[in-house]
């Protein structure tokens, strides 16, 4: 289950246009980065794919010294459960 970087997303699968799971961002170049949507196919449900995608965004934000605004409900839930993500959470964001 390799996470790949696409145009405005991280995804799992072989085709960016038809991923098995994806986390869509507004733009990699912006700061803060907004997580707009998370999708996990039935094939990967229950296997931690969504969590791995959120972690990929967090790791990217750390490497690039950026902040994150989780807009989608799944990402908000992951940020609220994982206090180690607080250091990349945009200060104006309330979860």
């Amino acid at each position: 289950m390799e996470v790949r970087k696409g145009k405005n997303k991280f995804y799992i699968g072989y085709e960016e246009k038809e991923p098995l799971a994806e986390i869509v961002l507004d733009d990699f170049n912006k700061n803060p980065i907004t997580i707009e949507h998370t999708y996990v196919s039935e094939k990967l449900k229950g296997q931690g794919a969504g969590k791995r995608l959120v972690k990929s965004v967090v790791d990217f934000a750390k490497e690039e010294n950026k902040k994150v605004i989780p807009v989608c409900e799944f990402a908000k839930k992951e940020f609220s459960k994982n206090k180690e993500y607080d250091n990349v959470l945009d200060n104006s964001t309330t979860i």
Side-chain angles (χ1 to χ4, degrees):
M1 206 172 14
E2 179 184 346
V3 176
R4 303 168 190 263
K5 184 178 175 188
K7 183 177 180 188
N8 68 327
K9 65 174 102 176
F10 286 100
Y11 68 98
I12 296 171
Y14 297 106
E15 296 289 329
E16 183 177 356
K17 292 182 181 184
E18 294 182 32
L20 296 173
E22 68 181 355
I23 190 162
V24 180
L25 312 171
D26 61 341
D27 189 336
F28 278 114
N29 297 316
K30 285 187 175 180
N31 191 15
I33 302 166
T34 301
I35 299 175
E36 297 179 341
H37 175 71
T38 305
Y39 162 77
V40 177
S41 67
E42 287 299 321
K43 189 174 183 178
L44 293 182
K45 285 221 191 273
Q47 298 180 41
K51 291 177 183 183
R52 290 188 62 194
L53 291 168
V54 171
K55 176 114 172 56
S56 294
V57 174
V58 169
D59 291 346
F60 173 80
K62 286 178 183 176
E63 290 171 14
E64 298 293 320
N65 199 26
K66 295 183 184 237
K67 297 293 183 182
V68 177
I69 300 172
V71 173
C72 85
E73 291 304 314
F74 180 81
K76 283 182 182 179
K77 188 166 53 170
E78 286 302 301
F79 269 79
S80 69
K81 290 192 302 188
N82 295 288
K83 293 304 170 194
E84 67 268 19
Y85 294 173
D86 285 355
N87 59 341
V88 298
L89 185 64
D90 183 73
N91 293 334
S92 66
T93 305
T94 56
I95 298 181

